[in-house]
Amino acid sequence: MASSRGIFRKKSVETVIHQNDEGHQNEGGRLRQTLRARDLIGFGVGMVIGTGIFTLTGVQAKNNAGPAIMISFAVAGVIALFAAFCYAELSSAVPTAGSSYIYAYTTLGEIFAWIIGWDLILEFALGAAVVSRGWSGYLQDVFDLPTSFFGEHSSVNLGAVAIALVLGVVATVGIKESGWVTNALVYLKVSICVFVIIAGLFFIKAANYTPFIPPATSTNGESGLRQPLWQWISGVDATAFGVAGVLFASAVVFFSYSGFEIVANLGEETKNPGRDMARGLLGTLLICTALYVGVCFVLVGMVHYTDLSEGAPLSDAFNQVGMSWAGVLVGIAAVAGLSSVILVDIVGMSRIGFALARDGLVPHSAGKIHPRWRTPYRITMMTTAAVVLLAAFVPLAALAEMVSIGTLFAFLVVSIAVPVLRRTQPEMKRPFRVPWSPVLPVISAICCAGLMVNLAIETWLRFVVWLVIGLAIYTFYGRTHSNLARPSQDSPTPAAPSAAGEPNVP
């Protein structure tokens, strides 16, 4: 039974745990359980290692943090790790497609679950489109392709369209195939990152680390809607460098950690979620944080922070020390790294859509499982189409911060969900438990909120507009078509024939 009727009705944890069992699906069959801890880490690292390590390192070191950029990445990594502990407890106890959407459904109620699901759609769709355009730009730079079809100056970005279509097909054909492709790309770019660290050690100059934290300088702040929310509230002028600059850089580079929660979306497709979900989540964060800090250490040691390139800092650093061939390798790694990010984004968004369709908040038919590929192929194809359109025509640089605000909002909800479920469901089996709860989840929530207020006012306004559109869809469709809106629909029901009359495959 639902715990209440209305927009705050909740889905029972027991229902969520068993909704992927044999014969318990509302529509179209069940997901294939094939993933192990190493596959989850592959997806996680494939999502996290990408745009941040190839671009944000140089931008933030040069403009805000100096050599202390490694501290900025470490701080962001610790905050992400706090959230990862919370994800690990919930995903091991409630292994399901939908991650924070489902956690909100069981703790805060349906309306909050819809808001989180709608927020995650924004995060993954926008993230995939942004990275597709970035992939096209790197490809153009490495192979000197025509800018009329590749990069930000193209009228129709065919490079971005091509990569989104190819990886959309891979995501549609099967989760195991997606895992193979992602793992191959992950091995390549992690190897290149290790190469950058080892090779760069031979060109480090101690003088480049001085001053480690450059003295604070006034930037006169951003004006109007571009100023950070905290600045508008407090009336304090923003500063570059100094401790404040290092913390501001942490808020910006947090984008580099966005996406690790994709691992939590794959709970239903994991063979042993009670053991492997925690390993996948925490392993992803530890590996990525170590690589980020290591690359930052080498980068600011090879080249003085004032001389860093903002467009391609890693390859340019090797060019400046006379190793241009290494710069080419870094460019190739960027292409591979961004490819895996796009793939995991598409997979993640399709799993969120599958969860929404299964609960009736969007049409059930959208989440139908393909009888052969065992993937939610309809929602995956719709996801790919949306990413292709965005990547082809829309310059998304101004919207990139929305990926961060969506991620932090989801982390905030998950951090709150842990102590709430501890109180409301004390008997629930928890293969992994967050240490020092509720203190650590509360710290995680506060840290996420603190980073959110560092984002620009216009980002907050766009986020609010997106949520208003989502609330309108929920009001006129999801609220009345939800499974919980119908009597006795909070328990699993046998699989029904699809809208096209095709039999479902168990």
Side-chain angles (χ1 to χ4, degrees):
M1 295 292 291
S3 61
S4 65
R5 295 295 169 183
I7 63 173
F8 297 106
R9 54 201 171 208
K10 299 176 184 177
K11 196 171 184 178
S12 73
V13 173
E14 194 67 20
T15 296
V16 172
I17 292 174
H18 294 293
Q19 63 190 357
N20 198 41
D21 290 351
E22 187 89 20
H24 281 183
Q25 299 79 37
N26 289 324
E27 184 86 25
R30 63 204 295 258
L31 297 171
R32 182 188 296 168
Q33 294 176 304
T34 60
L35 302 180
R36 300 179 184 273
R38 63 175 179 270
D39 299 310
L40 296 176
I41 292 176
F43 271 103
V45 174
M47 183 65 184
V48 175
I49 299 291
T51 304
I53 201 167
F54 294 117
T55 59
L56 292 182
T57 46
V59 174
Q60 292 306 313
K62 186 172 185 176
N63 296 317
N64 287 297
I69 185 63
M70 63 187 78
I71 295 180
S72 300
F73 271 97
V75 169
V78 169
I79 294 174
L81 187 63
F82 288 162
F85 275 111
C86 298
Y87 268 101
E89 175 169 322
L90 296 178
S91 61
S92 63
V94 190
T96 179
S99 67
S100 52
Y101 155 74
I102 291 296
Y103 309 150
Y105 217 154
T106 58
T107 57
L108 303 176
E110 185 174 90
I111 182 64
F112 292 103
W114 169 260
I115 290 173
I116 288 295
W118 189 245
D119 164 64
L120 291 175
I121 288 174
L122 171 71
E123 175 189 343
F124 288 124
L126 185 61
V130 169
V131 179
S132 293
R133 294 183 71 90
W135 182 93
S136 179
Y138 269 107
L139 195 70
Q140 188 280 326
D141 182 66
V142 172
F143 297 105
D144 196 25
L145 298 173
T147 56
S148 55
F149 298 112
F150 296 84
E152 283 301 299
H153 298 294
S154 59
S155 54
V156 179
N157 198 324
L158 296 185
V161 169
I163 190 61
L165 282 175
V166 169
L167 296 180
V169 170
V170 173
T172 302
V173 167
I175 188 66
K176 192 64 179 178
E177 290 74 12
S178 299
W180 293 337
V181 173
T182 300
N183 286 339
L185 295 174
V186 167
Y187 289 140
L188 173 60
K189 64 182 178 180
V190 169
S191 298
I192 292 296
C193 289
V194 173
F195 164 79
V196 167
I197 294 172
I198 295 176
L201 287 173
F202 294 96
F203 298 94
I204 287 177
K205 296 179 180 178
N208 289 334
Y209 293 113
T210 304
F212 186 70
I213 301 180
T217 58
S218 175
T219 62
N220 295 321
E222 293 278 3
S223 60
L225 298 180
R226 279 301 305 158
Q227 63 181 321
L229 182 62
W230 73 266
Q231 181 183 338
W232 176 74
I233 293 174
S234 65
V236 176
D237 289 337
T239 60
F241 305 112
V243 175
V246 173
L247 295 178
F248 176 80
S250 293
V252 178
V253 302
F254 193 83
F255 171 83
S256 305
Y257 292 95
S258 66
F260 82 85
E261 73 273 24
I262 182 63
V263 175
N265 275 300
L266 302 175
E268 287 183 44
E269 295 157 276
T270 301
K271 287 186 175 182
N272 188 349
R275 179 194 66 190
D276 291 340
M277 293 306 294
R279 293 182 179 182
L281 285 161
L282 300 179
T284 294
L285 261 296
L286 292 173
I287 290 172
C288 292
T289 301
L291 289 174
Y292 277 157
V293 174
V295 168
C296 289
F297 173 78
V298 168
L299 178 65
V300 295
M302 292 174 64
V303 179
H304 195 267
Y305 73 93
T306 57
D307 297 324
L308 288 172
S309 165
E310 295 188 30
L314 295 182
S315 58
D316 182 70
F318 280 103
N319 290 336
Q320 291 192 44
V321 297
M323 291 183 63
S324 56
W325 61 269
V328 174
L329 284 180
V330 172
I332 294 173
V335 171
L338 296 178
S339 299
S340 63
V341 174
I342 299 165
L343 175 59
V344 178
D345 260 328
I346 293 175
V347 170
M349 184 176 168
S350 67
R351 271 38 178 191
I352 295 295
F354 171 76
L356 293 171
R358 178 167 54 191
D359 291 331
L361 296 174
V362 298
H364 282 296
S365 59
K368 181 175 173 60
I369 302 295
H370 193 278
R372 176 182 174 186
W373 300 328
R374 314 305 300 174
T375 61
Y377 69 104
R378 290 178 177 174
I379 199 70
T380 304
M381 289 189 291
M382 287 188 283
T383 294
T384 302
V387 171
V388 164
L389 289 174
L390 289 169
F393 300 107
V394 184
L396 294 174
L399 298 177
E401 286 187 11
M402 291 195 67
V403 179
S404 288
I405 197 170
T407 302
L408 287 165
F409 185 62
F411 288 3
L412 178 66
V413 172
V414 169
S415 299
I416 295 172
V418 168
V420 170
L421 267 182
R422 288 277 188 100
R423 178 176 292 273
T424 59
Q425 300 280 344
E427 74 289 346
M428 186 174 69
K429 183 180 178 181
R430 294 174 171 84
F432 177 87
R433 297 176 68 90
V434 176
W436 309 302
S437 180
V439 175
L440 192 147
V442 170
I443 292 175
S444 176
I446 293 173
C447 290
C448 290
L451 290 183
M452 288 177 73
V453 299
N454 276 282
L455 297 172
I457 294 174
E458 65 179 3
T459 300
W460 279 88
L461 292 176
R462 289 172 180 146
F463 184 59
V464 169
V465 169
W466 177 256
L467 292 183
V468 168
I469 294 172
L471 287 174
I473 295 174
Y474 174 77
T475 299
F476 294 107
Y477 183 88
R479 182 176 58 85
T480 55
H481 290 78
S482 164
N483 292 346
L484 298 190
R486 293 171 285 172
S488 303
Q489 290 299 310
D490 191 39
S491 57
T493 57
S498 69
E502 301 170 359
N504 292 310
V505 179

